Amino acid sequence: MTVRSGKTRRLAVVMDPIGDIRYAKDSTLAMLLAAQARGWQLIYLEQHDLALRDGVALGRARALTVRADERDWFTLGTPFALPLGEVDAILMRKDPPFDTEYIYTTYILERAAEAGALVVNRPQGLRDMNEKVYTAWFPECCAPTLITRDMAEMGAFLAEHGRIVCKPLHGMGGRSIFVLEAGDKNTNVVFETLTDYGQRFAIVQRYLPEIVESGDSRVLVIDGEPVPYALARIPAATDNRGNLAAGARGVGRPLNDRDRWLAARIGPTLAARGMLFVGLDVIGGFVTEINVTSPTGIRELDRQFRIDIGGMLMDAVDRRLAAARL
C-alpha cells in the first residue's frame, strides 16, 4: 500500500449507516481504510445530515476512525457543523434507490462542489447517467437493447431475439429482473408489471447465454482506467441473475482484451465528466449497465489478488486535487 505524505487531506463520506455495513464486503470501508492509511482525516455523514442554508451546503458531521477489525471497525466523534465546501473531497457512497431524495442530495453536493470540494462521483453525472439508460451512449459496446413503454414493441423485440432480459430502469441488486423466451405465457404480465400497463419506461435486452458459465463481470474503472481484474458474478444454479445480492458467486479474473477495449471506449468519457469510480457490468463481451452511484466489488478483488483498489482510488483523488491547485 502506498502511503503518501504531505498535506493532510480532509475526506468526507456520505453513506448508509456504517454500523449496518457488511464488513467483509463493503467497498466504502475499503476506500476509507485506504484514505486513513495516507494520514487523511475522515469525516462521516449520512443523508439526513445534509442541508442547504442560503445557498451553502452544510453537514452535521462527525470525525471518523476506521479499523480492519470485523468486530469493531469504526469510531465516531461528537457531531459538529461543517460547511461541506471546506473539505478537500466528498465520497458520495449512499446506496440506491435513486429516488427524489437521492436527487435532492446531489443538489446539496453540487453546491459543495461549487464551493471547492471534489465530489466523487460528480453530482451532475449521478443525475444524468442512469445506470441502464446511459449504455445508449455506447451502442457499439452493448448487445441489442430497447427502452420503451410500448408493450407491443417489447413483444416484437422478444420475437426478434427469441430470449430476452427485462428490467425496470430504477432497479438495483437484481430486483425485478425477468428472463423471457418466445412463447412464454408470462410475457404479457411481465411487460404489464414492468411498464405499469404502458405508464413507465422499462428496458429489454437480448439474453446473453454466456452469463451461465462466465457470469456477469464487474469491471471497475478508476478515473478512466480499468482495474486489472474483474469480478465475475456467477448465478446460482436456480437463478438467472448475476448479482451478489441475489446469491451469485464472485470469482475474480484478469481482464481480457475485450474488457480493456470496452473500458477504453467508455472510461475516458466518464473521467471527463467527473466519474472517478465506475463499474461496468459485462456479459459475453457486452456492457449491460454502467454503475455510477455506489459500485462495489473492491473487497472481493483485493482479497483474491492482493491489490489495493481503495488505494488506487485515493491516488486518483489526490491527483485531481493536486491538478486543481495548478
mmCIF file of all heavy atoms in Angstrom, residues 123-173:
data_model
loop_
_atom_site.group_PDB
_atom_site.id
_atom_site.type_symbol
_atom_site.label_atom_id
_atom_site.label_comp_id
_atom_site.label_asym_id
_atom_site.label_seq_id
_atom_site.Cartn_x
_atom_site.Cartn_y
_atom_site.Cartn_z
ATOM 1 N N PRO A 123 -21.901 15.163 -8.835
ATOM 2 C CA PRO A 123 -23.355 15.113 -8.666
ATOM 3 C C PRO A 123 -24.136 15.199 -9.973
ATOM 4 O O PRO A 123 -25.125 14.488 -10.147
ATOM 5 C CB PRO A 123 -23.634 16.308 -7.750
ATOM 6 C CG PRO A 123 -22.363 16.484 -6.982
ATOM 7 C CD PRO A 123 -21.266 16.141 -7.925
ATOM 8 N N GLN A 124 -23.713 16.063 -10.895
ATOM 9 C CA GLN A 124 -24.448 16.159 -12.153
ATOM 10 C C GLN A 124 -24.401 14.837 -12.912
ATOM 11 O O GLN A 124 -25.397 14.401 -13.499
ATOM 12 C CB GLN A 124 -23.871 17.266 -13.039
ATOM 13 C CG GLN A 124 -24.639 17.429 -14.347
ATOM 14 C CD GLN A 124 -24.075 18.524 -15.224
ATOM 15 O OE1 GLN A 124 -23.161 19.240 -14.840
ATOM 16 N NE2 GLN A 124 -24.617 18.656 -16.419
ATOM 17 N N GLY A 125 -23.255 14.167 -12.874
ATOM 18 C CA GLY A 125 -23.151 12.871 -13.529
ATOM 19 C C GLY A 125 -24.047 11.830 -12.896
ATOM 20 O O GLY A 125 -24.633 10.988 -13.588
ATOM 21 N N LEU A 126 -24.170 11.870 -11.561
ATOM 22 C CA LEU A 126 -25.078 10.940 -10.887
ATOM 23 C C LEU A 126 -26.511 11.131 -11.365
ATOM 24 O O LEU A 126 -27.265 10.161 -11.508
ATOM 25 C CB LEU A 126 -24.994 11.131 -9.373
ATOM 26 C CG LEU A 126 -23.671 10.740 -8.712
ATOM 27 C CD1 LEU A 126 -23.704 11.107 -7.233
ATOM 28 C CD2 LEU A 126 -23.377 9.262 -8.891
ATOM 29 N N ARG A 127 -26.885 12.375 -11.609
ATOM 30 C CA ARG A 127 -28.245 12.642 -12.088
ATOM 31 C C ARG A 127 -28.413 12.262 -13.554
ATOM 32 O O ARG A 127 -29.458 11.772 -13.967
ATOM 33 C CB ARG A 127 -28.594 14.125 -11.898
ATOM 34 C CG ARG A 127 -28.716 14.554 -10.462
ATOM 35 C CD ARG A 127 -29.404 15.912 -10.366
ATOM 36 N NE ARG A 127 -28.677 16.973 -11.046
ATOM 37 C CZ ARG A 127 -27.723 17.724 -10.508
ATOM 38 N NH1 ARG A 127 -27.348 17.504 -9.254
ATOM 39 N NH2 ARG A 127 -27.132 18.676 -11.186
ATOM 40 N N ASP A 128 -27.383 12.510 -14.353
ATOM 41 C CA ASP A 128 -27.503 12.341 -15.799
ATOM 42 C C ASP A 128 -27.357 10.900 -16.261
ATOM 43 O O ASP A 128 -27.899 10.530 -17.310
ATOM 44 C CB ASP A 128 -26.444 13.181 -16.518
ATOM 45 C CG ASP A 128 -26.714 14.673 -16.450
ATOM 46 O OD1 ASP A 128 -27.816 15.062 -15.998
ATOM 47 O OD2 ASP A 128 -25.824 15.446 -16.847
ATOM 48 N N MET A 129 -26.602 10.096 -15.512
ATOM 49 C CA MET A 129 -26.197 8.780 -16.012
ATOM 50 C C MET A 129 -26.962 7.665 -15.333
ATOM 51 O O MET A 129 -26.439 6.959 -14.469
ATOM 52 C CB MET A 129 -24.690 8.598 -15.811
ATOM 53 C CG MET A 129 -23.853 9.606 -16.548
ATOM 54 S SD MET A 129 -22.083 9.331 -16.259
ATOM 55 C CE MET A 129 -21.400 10.791 -17.024
ATOM 56 N N ASN A 130 -28.217 7.498 -15.729
ATOM 57 C CA ASN A 130 -28.950 6.328 -15.254
ATOM 58 C C ASN A 130 -28.173 5.077 -15.657
ATOM 59 O O ASN A 130 -27.704 4.952 -16.791
ATOM 60 C CB ASN A 130 -30.349 6.291 -15.854
ATOM 61 C CG ASN A 130 -31.116 5.044 -15.478
ATOM 62 O OD1 ASN A 130 -30.967 3.997 -16.104
ATOM 63 N ND2 ASN A 130 -31.931 5.129 -14.448
ATOM 64 N N GLU A 131 -28.044 4.152 -14.738
ATOM 65 C CA GLU A 131 -27.102 3.061 -14.922
ATOM 66 C C GLU A 131 -27.477 2.123 -16.054
ATOM 67 O O GLU A 131 -26.619 1.439 -16.610
ATOM 68 C CB GLU A 131 -26.939 2.334 -13.589
ATOM 69 C CG GLU A 131 -26.402 3.318 -12.545
ATOM 70 C CD GLU A 131 -26.077 2.702 -11.199
ATOM 71 O OE1 GLU A 131 -26.657 1.650 -10.867
ATOM 72 O OE2 GLU A 131 -25.241 3.287 -10.496
ATOM 73 N N LYS A 132 -28.738 2.099 -16.423
ATOM 74 C CA LYS A 132 -29.171 1.275 -17.549
ATOM 75 C C LYS A 132 -29.306 2.111 -18.828
ATOM 76 O O LYS A 132 -28.880 1.682 -19.897
ATOM 77 C CB LYS A 132 -30.480 0.585 -17.202
ATOM 78 C CG LYS A 132 -30.333 -0.378 -16.006
ATOM 79 C CD LYS A 132 -31.641 -0.947 -15.570
ATOM 80 C CE LYS A 132 -31.462 -1.919 -14.397
ATOM 81 N NZ LYS A 132 -30.944 -1.245 -13.187
ATOM 82 N N VAL A 133 -29.859 3.308 -18.709
ATOM 83 C CA VAL A 133 -30.091 4.127 -19.900
ATOM 84 C C VAL A 133 -28.784 4.642 -20.493
ATOM 85 O O VAL A 133 -28.644 4.756 -21.717
ATOM 86 C CB VAL A 133 -31.024 5.306 -19.570
ATOM 87 C CG1 VAL A 133 -31.240 6.182 -20.800
ATOM 88 C CG2 VAL A 133 -32.364 4.808 -19.051
ATOM 89 N N TYR A 134 -27.784 4.916 -19.655
ATOM 90 C CA TYR A 134 -26.562 5.552 -20.166
ATOM 91 C C TYR A 134 -25.775 4.628 -21.098
ATOM 92 O O TYR A 134 -24.898 5.087 -21.828
ATOM 93 C CB TYR A 134 -25.693 6.031 -19.008
ATOM 94 C CG TYR A 134 -24.617 6.995 -19.437
ATOM 95 C CD1 TYR A 134 -24.949 8.225 -20.023
ATOM 96 C CD2 TYR A 134 -23.268 6.684 -19.303
ATOM 97 C CE1 TYR A 134 -23.971 9.103 -20.451
ATOM 98 C CE2 TYR A 134 -22.281 7.562 -19.716
ATOM 99 C CZ TYR A 134 -22.640 8.763 -20.290
ATOM 100 O OH TYR A 134 -21.661 9.655 -20.705
ATOM 101 N N THR A 135 -26.088 3.343 -21.104
ATOM 102 C CA THR A 135 -25.460 2.461 -22.082
ATOM 103 C C THR A 135 -25.778 2.900 -23.508
ATOM 104 O O THR A 135 -25.022 2.589 -24.440
ATOM 105 C CB THR A 135 -25.926 1.013 -21.886
ATOM 106 O OG1 THR A 135 -27.366 0.948 -22.000
ATOM 107 C CG2 THR A 135 -25.502 0.476 -20.521
ATOM 108 N N ALA A 136 -26.873 3.639 -23.705
ATOM 109 C CA ALA A 136 -27.264 4.091 -25.041
ATOM 110 C C ALA A 136 -26.230 5.018 -25.666
ATOM 111 O O ALA A 136 -26.214 5.196 -26.884
ATOM 112 C CB ALA A 136 -28.622 4.794 -24.980
ATOM 113 N N TRP A 137 -25.363 5.618 -24.861
ATOM 114 C CA TRP A 137 -24.317 6.492 -25.375
ATOM 115 C C TRP A 137 -23.158 5.683 -25.969
ATOM 116 O O TRP A 137 -22.267 6.239 -26.603
ATOM 117 C CB TRP A 137 -23.814 7.428 -24.281
ATOM 118 C CG TRP A 137 -24.600 8.692 -24.190
ATOM 119 C CD1 TRP A 137 -24.177 9.956 -24.530
ATOM 120 C CD2 TRP A 137 -25.954 8.854 -23.763
ATOM 121 N NE1 TRP A 137 -25.178 10.877 -24.337
ATOM 122 C CE2 TRP A 137 -26.288 10.220 -23.861
ATOM 123 C CE3 TRP A 137 -26.931 7.970 -23.299
ATOM 124 C CZ2 TRP A 137 -27.542 10.726 -23.511
ATOM 125 C CZ3 TRP A 137 -28.188 8.471 -22.948
ATOM 126 C CH2 TRP A 137 -28.470 9.823 -23.055
ATOM 127 N N PHE A 138 -23.181 4.366 -25.763
ATOM 128 C CA PHE A 138 -22.106 3.500 -26.252
ATOM 129 C C PHE A 138 -22.705 2.250 -26.910
ATOM 130 O O PHE A 138 -22.419 1.120 -26.517
ATOM 131 C CB PHE A 138 -21.182 3.103 -25.091
ATOM 132 C CG PHE A 138 -20.666 4.283 -24.312
ATOM 133 C CD1 PHE A 138 -21.312 4.687 -23.142
ATOM 134 C CD2 PHE A 138 -19.576 4.999 -24.760
ATOM 135 C CE1 PHE A 138 -20.856 5.788 -22.429
ATOM 136 C CE2 PHE A 138 -19.097 6.092 -24.045
ATOM 137 C CZ PHE A 138 -19.745 6.494 -22.882
ATOM 138 N N PRO A 139 -23.535 2.415 -27.936
ATOM 139 C CA PRO A 139 -24.233 1.258 -28.514
ATOM 140 C C PRO A 139 -23.287 0.222 -29.100
ATOM 141 O O PRO A 139 -23.634 -0.969 -29.154
ATOM 142 C CB PRO A 139 -25.113 1.889 -29.599
ATOM 143 C CG PRO A 139 -24.461 3.202 -29.921
ATOM 144 C CD PRO A 139 -23.871 3.677 -28.632
ATOM 145 N N GLU A 140 -22.101 0.649 -29.531
ATOM 146 C CA GLU A 140 -21.137 -0.298 -30.090
ATOM 147 C C GLU A 140 -20.595 -1.260 -29.033
ATOM 148 O O GLU A 140 -19.998 -2.291 -29.369
ATOM 149 C CB GLU A 140 -19.970 0.462 -30.742
ATOM 150 C CG GLU A 140 -19.004 1.139 -29.782
ATOM 151 C CD GLU A 140 -19.477 2.485 -29.250
ATOM 152 O OE1 GLU A 140 -20.665 2.838 -29.447
ATOM 153 O OE2 GLU A 140 -18.661 3.192 -28.633
ATOM 154 N N CYS A 141 -20.822 -0.936 -27.752
ATOM 155 C CA CYS A 141 -20.336 -1.769 -26.647
ATOM 156 C C CYS A 141 -21.411 -2.693 -26.091
ATOM 157 O O CYS A 141 -21.126 -3.483 -25.177
ATOM 158 C CB CYS A 141 -19.820 -0.883 -25.511
ATOM 159 S SG CYS A 141 -18.459 0.211 -25.976
ATOM 160 N N CYS A 142 -22.616 -2.598 -26.619
ATOM 161 C CA CYS A 142 -23.766 -3.244 -25.974
ATOM 162 C C CYS A 142 -24.466 -4.230 -26.904
ATOM 163 O O CYS A 142 -24.436 -4.082 -28.134
ATOM 164 C CB CYS A 142 -24.777 -2.183 -25.515
ATOM 165 S SG CYS A 142 -24.060 -0.917 -24.447
ATOM 166 N N ALA A 143 -25.114 -5.214 -26.303
ATOM 167 C CA ALA A 143 -25.994 -6.108 -27.044
ATOM 168 C C ALA A 143 -27.258 -5.336 -27.445
ATOM 169 O O ALA A 143 -27.532 -4.252 -26.911
ATOM 170 C CB ALA A 143 -26.358 -7.306 -26.176
ATOM 171 N N PRO A 144 -28.050 -5.857 -28.382
ATOM 172 C CA PRO A 144 -29.296 -5.171 -28.758
ATOM 173 C C PRO A 144 -30.150 -4.855 -27.540
ATOM 174 O O PRO A 144 -30.380 -5.720 -26.684
ATOM 175 C CB PRO A 144 -29.977 -6.183 -29.683
ATOM 176 C CG PRO A 144 -28.846 -6.934 -30.296
ATOM 177 C CD PRO A 144 -27.822 -7.059 -29.211
ATOM 178 N N THR A 145 -30.598 -3.602 -27.478
ATOM 179 C CA THR A 145 -31.295 -3.084 -26.300
ATOM 180 C C THR A 145 -32.454 -2.206 -26.745
ATOM 181 O O THR A 145 -32.326 -1.416 -27.686
ATOM 182 C CB THR A 145 -30.329 -2.252 -25.426
ATOM 183 O OG1 THR A 145 -29.253 -3.081 -24.993
ATOM 184 C CG2 THR A 145 -31.037 -1.671 -24.216
ATOM 185 N N LEU A 146 -33.564 -2.312 -26.029
ATOM 186 C CA LEU A 146 -34.738 -1.480 -26.292
ATOM 187 C C LEU A 146 -35.225 -0.894 -24.978
ATOM 188 O O LEU A 146 -35.415 -1.619 -23.997
ATOM 189 C CB LEU A 146 -35.856 -2.313 -26.929
ATOM 190 C CG LEU A 146 -37.228 -1.642 -27.076
ATOM 191 C CD1 LEU A 146 -37.173 -0.498 -28.093
ATOM 192 C CD2 LEU A 146 -38.283 -2.664 -27.470
ATOM 193 N N ILE A 147 -35.430 0.432 -24.951
ATOM 194 C CA ILE A 147 -36.050 1.114 -23.809
ATOM 195 C C ILE A 147 -37.350 1.712 -24.310
ATOM 196 O O ILE A 147 -37.359 2.518 -25.245
ATOM 197 C CB ILE A 147 -35.123 2.202 -23.240
ATOM 198 C CG1 ILE A 147 -33.841 1.565 -22.691
ATOM 199 C CG2 ILE A 147 -35.829 3.005 -22.153
ATOM 200 C CD1 ILE A 147 -32.777 2.561 -22.297
ATOM 201 N N THR A 148 -38.459 1.321 -23.713
ATOM 202 C CA THR A 148 -39.763 1.735 -24.218
ATOM 203 C C THR A 148 -40.821 1.567 -23.135
ATOM 204 O O THR A 148 -40.591 0.895 -22.127
ATOM 205 C CB THR A 148 -40.145 0.898 -25.461
ATOM 206 O OG1 THR A 148 -41.372 1.390 -26.023
ATOM 207 C CG2 THR A 148 -40.324 -0.569 -25.094
ATOM 208 N N ARG A 149 -41.980 2.187 -23.373
ATOM 209 C CA ARG A 149 -43.180 1.930 -22.568
ATOM 210 C C ARG A 149 -44.187 1.079 -23.339
ATOM 211 O O ARG A 149 -45.207 0.688 -22.787
ATOM 212 C CB ARG A 149 -43.840 3.266 -22.195
ATOM 213 C CG ARG A 149 -43.011 4.102 -21.259
ATOM 214 C CD ARG A 149 -43.451 5.562 -21.226
ATOM 215 N NE ARG A 149 -44.846 5.748 -20.903
ATOM 216 C CZ ARG A 149 -45.342 6.849 -20.336
ATOM 217 N NH1 ARG A 149 -44.532 7.847 -20.011
ATOM 218 N NH2 ARG A 149 -46.618 6.960 -20.096
ATOM 219 N N ASP A 150 -43.865 0.825 -24.597
ATOM 220 C CA ASP A 150 -44.806 0.168 -25.502
ATOM 221 C C ASP A 150 -44.657 -1.351 -25.397
ATOM 222 O O ASP A 150 -43.646 -1.928 -25.810
ATOM 223 C CB ASP A 150 -44.534 0.636 -26.934
ATOM 224 C CG ASP A 150 -45.617 0.204 -27.910
ATOM 225 O OD1 ASP A 150 -45.997 -0.984 -27.877
ATOM 226 O OD2 ASP A 150 -46.069 1.049 -28.704
ATOM 227 N N MET A 151 -45.671 -2.014 -24.870
ATOM 228 C CA MET A 151 -45.595 -3.459 -24.665
ATOM 229 C C MET A 151 -45.590 -4.224 -25.985
ATOM 230 O O MET A 151 -44.991 -5.301 -26.074
ATOM 231 C CB MET A 151 -46.742 -3.910 -23.764
ATOM 232 C CG MET A 151 -46.616 -3.397 -22.330
ATOM 233 S SD MET A 151 -47.946 -3.988 -21.248
ATOM 234 C CE MET A 151 -49.314 -2.954 -21.819
ATOM 235 N N ALA A 152 -46.217 -3.679 -27.006
ATOM 236 C CA ALA A 152 -46.181 -4.342 -28.316
ATOM 237 C C ALA A 152 -44.769 -4.323 -28.886
ATOM 238 O O ALA A 152 -44.317 -5.310 -29.496
ATOM 239 C CB ALA A 152 -47.153 -3.658 -29.269
ATOM 240 N N GLU A 153 -44.045 -3.215 -28.690
ATOM 241 C CA GLU A 153 -42.659 -3.146 -29.148
ATOM 242 C C GLU A 153 -41.787 -4.156 -28.392
ATOM 243 O O GLU A 153 -40.889 -4.775 -28.970
ATOM 244 C CB GLU A 153 -42.104 -1.735 -28.966
ATOM 245 C CG GLU A 153 -42.709 -0.714 -29.915
ATOM 246 C CD GLU A 153 -42.076 0.654 -29.759
ATOM 247 O OE1 GLU A 153 -41.117 0.793 -28.951
ATOM 248 O OE2 GLU A 153 -42.529 1.593 -30.440
ATOM 249 N N MET A 154 -42.063 -4.311 -27.085
ATOM 250 C CA MET A 154 -41.332 -5.314 -26.317
ATOM 251 C C MET A 154 -41.602 -6.715 -26.873
ATOM 252 O O MET A 154 -40.687 -7.532 -26.998
ATOM 253 C CB MET A 154 -41.744 -5.250 -24.851
ATOM 254 C CG MET A 154 -41.260 -4.034 -24.113
ATOM 255 S SD MET A 154 -41.802 -4.099 -22.383
ATOM 256 C CE MET A 154 -40.849 -2.751 -21.696
ATOM 257 N N GLY A 155 -42.857 -6.978 -27.204
ATOM 258 C CA GLY A 155 -43.205 -8.273 -27.761
ATOM 259 C C GLY A 155 -42.511 -8.528 -29.088
ATOM 260 O O GLY A 155 -42.044 -9.645 -29.355
ATOM 261 N N ALA A 156 -42.416 -7.503 -29.916
ATOM 262 C CA ALA A 156 -41.723 -7.652 -31.198
ATOM 263 C C ALA A 156 -40.226 -7.897 -30.983
ATOM 264 O O ALA A 156 -39.603 -8.681 -31.711
ATOM 265 C CB ALA A 156 -41.946 -6.399 -32.044
ATOM 266 N N PHE A 157 -39.651 -7.251 -29.977
ATOM 267 C CA PHE A 157 -38.233 -7.445 -29.650
ATOM 268 C C PHE A 157 -37.994 -8.884 -29.202
ATOM 269 O O PHE A 157 -37.013 -9.522 -29.604
ATOM 270 C CB PHE A 157 -37.834 -6.453 -28.551
ATOM 271 C CG PHE A 157 -36.361 -6.390 -28.254
ATOM 272 C CD1 PHE A 157 -35.523 -5.544 -28.955
ATOM 273 C CD2 PHE A 157 -35.809 -7.176 -27.248
ATOM 274 C CE1 PHE A 157 -34.160 -5.482 -28.670
ATOM 275 C CE2 PHE A 157 -34.456 -7.119 -26.953
ATOM 276 C CZ PHE A 157 -33.629 -6.264 -27.669
ATOM 277 N N LEU A 158 -38.911 -9.420 -28.399
ATOM 278 C CA LEU A 158 -38.808 -10.810 -27.957
ATOM 279 C C LEU A 158 -38.907 -11.762 -29.151
ATOM 280 O O LEU A 158 -38.130 -12.730 -29.265
ATOM 281 C CB LEU A 158 -39.903 -11.116 -26.937
ATOM 282 C CG LEU A 158 -40.044 -12.571 -26.489
ATOM 283 C CD1 LEU A 158 -38.736 -13.106 -25.897
ATOM 284 C CD2 LEU A 158 -41.184 -12.710 -25.470
ATOM 285 N N ALA A 159 -39.833 -11.495 -30.053
ATOM 286 C CA ALA A 159 -39.977 -12.345 -31.232
ATOM 287 C C ALA A 159 -38.725 -12.309 -32.096
ATOM 288 O O ALA A 159 -38.320 -13.326 -32.677
ATOM 289 C CB ALA A 159 -41.195 -11.904 -32.045
ATOM 290 N N GLU A 160 -38.080 -11.137 -32.171
ATOM 291 C CA GLU A 160 -36.868 -10.981 -32.982
ATOM 292 C C GLU A 160 -35.694 -11.771 -32.405
ATOM 293 O O GLU A 160 -34.938 -12.398 -33.147
ATOM 294 C CB GLU A 160 -36.509 -9.496 -33.066
ATOM 295 C CG GLU A 160 -35.223 -9.214 -33.835
ATOM 296 C CD GLU A 160 -34.855 -7.742 -33.827
ATOM 297 O OE1 GLU A 160 -35.652 -6.918 -33.304
ATOM 298 O OE2 GLU A 160 -33.764 -7.407 -34.338
ATOM 299 N N HIS A 161 -35.547 -11.758 -31.085
ATOM 300 C CA HIS A 161 -34.341 -12.327 -30.465
ATOM 301 C C HIS A 161 -34.574 -13.680 -29.802
ATOM 302 O O HIS A 161 -33.612 -14.377 -29.487
ATOM 303 C CB HIS A 161 -33.763 -11.337 -29.454
ATOM 304 C CG HIS A 161 -33.257 -10.079 -30.087
ATOM 305 N ND1 HIS A 161 -32.087 -10.039 -30.808
ATOM 306 C CD2 HIS A 161 -33.788 -8.831 -30.144
ATOM 307 C CE1 HIS A 161 -31.894 -8.812 -31.269
ATOM 308 N NE2 HIS A 161 -32.909 -8.060 -30.886
ATOM 309 N N GLY A 162 -35.820 -14.059 -29.563
ATOM 310 C CA GLY A 162 -36.106 -15.385 -29.034
ATOM 311 C C GLY A 162 -36.001 -15.513 -27.529
ATOM 312 O O GLY A 162 -36.769 -16.260 -26.912
ATOM 313 N N ARG A 163 -35.066 -14.798 -26.928
ATOM 314 C CA ARG A 163 -34.901 -14.830 -25.473
ATOM 315 C C ARG A 163 -34.352 -13.479 -25.037
ATOM 316 O O ARG A 163 -33.374 -12.989 -25.630
ATOM 317 C CB ARG A 163 -33.949 -15.950 -25.056
ATOM 318 C CG ARG A 163 -33.998 -16.283 -23.563
ATOM 319 C CD ARG A 163 -33.103 -17.470 -23.249
ATOM 320 N NE ARG A 163 -33.327 -17.938 -21.885
ATOM 321 C CZ ARG A 163 -32.562 -18.843 -21.272
ATOM 322 N NH1 ARG A 163 -31.512 -19.360 -21.903
ATOM 323 N NH2 ARG A 163 -32.838 -19.221 -20.043
ATOM 324 N N ILE A 164 -34.968 -12.878 -24.025
ATOM 325 C CA ILE A 164 -34.587 -11.526 -23.617
ATOM 326 C C ILE A 164 -34.564 -11.404 -22.103
ATOM 327 O O ILE A 164 -35.147 -12.220 -21.377
ATOM 328 C CB ILE A 164 -35.541 -10.462 -24.204
ATOM 329 C CG1 ILE A 164 -36.973 -10.650 -23.669
ATOM 330 C CG2 ILE A 164 -35.508 -10.465 -25.720
ATOM 331 C CD1 ILE A 164 -37.936 -9.530 -24.085
ATOM 332 N N VAL A 165 -33.874 -10.363 -21.645
ATOM 333 C CA VAL A 165 -33.865 -9.962 -20.239
ATOM 334 C C VAL A 165 -34.669 -8.671 -20.125
ATOM 335 O O VAL A 165 -34.488 -7.748 -20.932
ATOM 336 C CB VAL A 165 -32.433 -9.738 -19.731
ATOM 337 C CG1 VAL A 165 -32.443 -9.248 -18.281
ATOM 338 C CG2 VAL A 165 -31.624 -11.015 -19.846
ATOM 339 N N CYS A 166 -35.557 -8.605 -19.130
ATOM 340 C CA CYS A 166 -36.430 -7.448 -18.925
ATOM 341 C C CYS A 166 -36.164 -6.876 -17.536
ATOM 342 O O CYS A 166 -36.150 -7.619 -16.546
ATOM 343 C CB CYS A 166 -37.896 -7.846 -19.022
ATOM 344 S SG CYS A 166 -38.296 -8.904 -20.437
ATOM 345 N N LYS A 167 -35.978 -5.542 -17.452
ATOM 346 C CA LYS A 167 -35.633 -4.915 -16.175
ATOM 347 C C LYS A 167 -36.309 -3.558 -16.044
ATOM 348 O O LYS A 167 -36.490 -2.856 -17.040
ATOM 349 C CB LYS A 167 -34.112 -4.706 -16.069
ATOM 350 C CG LYS A 167 -33.285 -5.961 -16.124
ATOM 351 C CD LYS A 167 -31.801 -5.667 -15.942
ATOM 352 C CE LYS A 167 -31.165 -5.136 -17.196
ATOM 353 N NZ LYS A 167 -29.681 -5.081 -17.090
ATOM 354 N N PRO A 168 -36.624 -3.146 -14.815
ATOM 355 C CA PRO A 168 -37.041 -1.759 -14.591
ATOM 356 C C PRO A 168 -35.825 -0.853 -14.663
ATOM 357 O O PRO A 168 -34.690 -1.283 -14.393
ATOM 358 C CB PRO A 168 -37.628 -1.788 -13.179
ATOM 359 C CG PRO A 168 -36.891 -2.896 -12.502
ATOM 360 C CD PRO A 168 -36.608 -3.931 -13.566
ATOM 361 N N LEU A 169 -36.007 0.406 -15.001
ATOM 362 C CA LEU A 169 -34.887 1.330 -15.106
ATOM 363 C C LEU A 169 -34.357 1.765 -13.746
ATOM 364 O O LEU A 169 -33.229 2.236 -13.645
ATOM 365 C CB LEU A 169 -35.285 2.568 -15.920
ATOM 366 C CG LEU A 169 -35.604 2.306 -17.391
ATOM 367 C CD1 LEU A 169 -35.981 3.610 -18.084
ATOM 368 C CD2 LEU A 169 -34.441 1.633 -18.105
ATOM 369 N N HIS A 170 -35.156 1.617 -12.703
ATOM 370 C CA HIS A 170 -34.759 2.103 -11.382
ATOM 371 C C HIS A 170 -34.286 0.980 -10.470
ATOM 372 O O HIS A 170 -33.997 1.214 -9.303
ATOM 373 C CB HIS A 170 -35.945 2.803 -10.707
ATOM 374 C CG HIS A 170 -37.119 1.884 -10.489
ATOM 375 N ND1 HIS A 170 -38.036 1.640 -11.486
ATOM 376 C CD2 HIS A 170 -37.502 1.138 -9.418
ATOM 377 C CE1 HIS A 170 -38.941 0.797 -11.028
ATOM 378 N NE2 HIS A 170 -38.640 0.467 -9.779
ATOM 379 N N GLY A 171 -34.175 -0.245 -10.973
ATOM 380 C CA GLY A 171 -33.874 -1.371 -10.105
ATOM 381 C C GLY A 171 -32.411 -1.435 -9.685
ATOM 382 O O GLY A 171 -31.542 -0.776 -10.244
ATOM 383 N N MET A 172 -32.130 -2.279 -8.684
ATOM 384 C CA MET A 172 -30.773 -2.494 -8.184
ATOM 385 C C MET A 172 -30.702 -3.890 -7.564
ATOM 386 O O MET A 172 -31.728 -4.478 -7.219
ATOM 387 C CB MET A 172 -30.394 -1.453 -7.120
ATOM 388 C CG MET A 172 -31.323 -1.425 -5.924
ATOM 389 S SD MET A 172 -30.701 -0.497 -4.509
ATOM 390 C CE MET A 172 -29.458 -1.620 -3.882
ATOM 391 N N GLY A 173 -29.482 -4.403 -7.459
ATOM 392 C CA GLY A 173 -29.273 -5.659 -6.749
ATOM 393 C C GLY A 173 -30.019 -6.842 -7.330
ATOM 394 O O GLY A 173 -30.309 -7.798 -6.621
#
